[in-house]
Amino acid sequence: MRTEDPVARFHRRTTTVTVTASGESTVLTAVGDLDQHLAERLFERLSAELAQRPPALLVDLTRVGFCSAAALRVLLLTTAEAHAAGIPCVIASDQHAVRRPIAALHLEHLLPVYPTLTDARERLALCAASTSRR
């Protein structure tokens, strides 16, 4: 009989992923640790939101304490998919656990991370303004 990994069970209980949609954007908020056990769940939620073709997608990681390589892969896939679909996508986080691996891997040009939700929303507004002028 196979038992569930206790670490995975712990992180599922302590990490939350919520989605809030408005006319302007969809905000996916993650709170807790984004380890390899949660990366698949994060990917499923982000993919489901992109499938609904929101006007813009904001990934709020301002309360994430750990961001695994698997979670970074999910973020890279999500931003690429959003870009291909013409959906502006930005990430908000001032957390060292999120920003440091992105900088260490030189992914800043692929993963647009803004330090606050306000900064991320302002960037989305600029994207919307430039899209409406075309």
Side-chain angles (χ1 to χ4, degrees):
M1 180 176 190
R2 192 172 151 206
T3 60
E4 182 182 24
D5 178 2
V7 173
R9 189 172 55 245
F10 171 78
H11 285 294
R12 263 198 308 284
R13 284 195 320 253
T14 60
T15 300
T16 61
V17 177
T18 58
V19 175
T20 307
S22 71
E24 297 171 358
S25 66
T26 294
V27 179
L28 182 138
T29 303
V31 177
D33 293 340
L34 298 179
D35 64 9
Q36 66 181 6
H37 301 288
L38 272 294
E40 186 175 335
R41 183 170 132 205
L42 180 65
F43 180 72
E44 290 168 0
R45 293 295 298 268
L46 286 166
S47 294
E49 292 310 314
L50 286 176
Q52 295 183 33
R53 307 231 1 113
L57 179 64
L58 192 162
V59 183
D60 176 5
L61 304 180
T62 58
R63 295 185 289 168
V64 167
F66 175 76
C67 186
S68 69
L72 286 178
R73 181 177 178 275
V74 166
L75 295 172
L76 284 166
L77 290 170
T78 299
T79 55
E81 187 178 330
H83 179 72
I87 301 169
C89 178
V90 296
I91 301 163
S93 185
D94 60 350
Q95 298 299 311
H96 183 73
V98 174
R99 297 179 75 87
R100 186 173 189 285
I102 290 171
L105 295 169
H106 305 287
L107 297 174
E108 302 94 333
H109 62 287
L110 297 172
L111 293 174
V113 181
Y114 297 87
T116 66
L117 287 170
T118 300
D119 291 335
R121 283 189 176 105
E122 286 174 2
R123 177 63 185 155
L124 288 177
L126 287 172
C127 290
S130 69
T131 302
S132 67
R133 282 188 244 151
R134 291 182 188 167

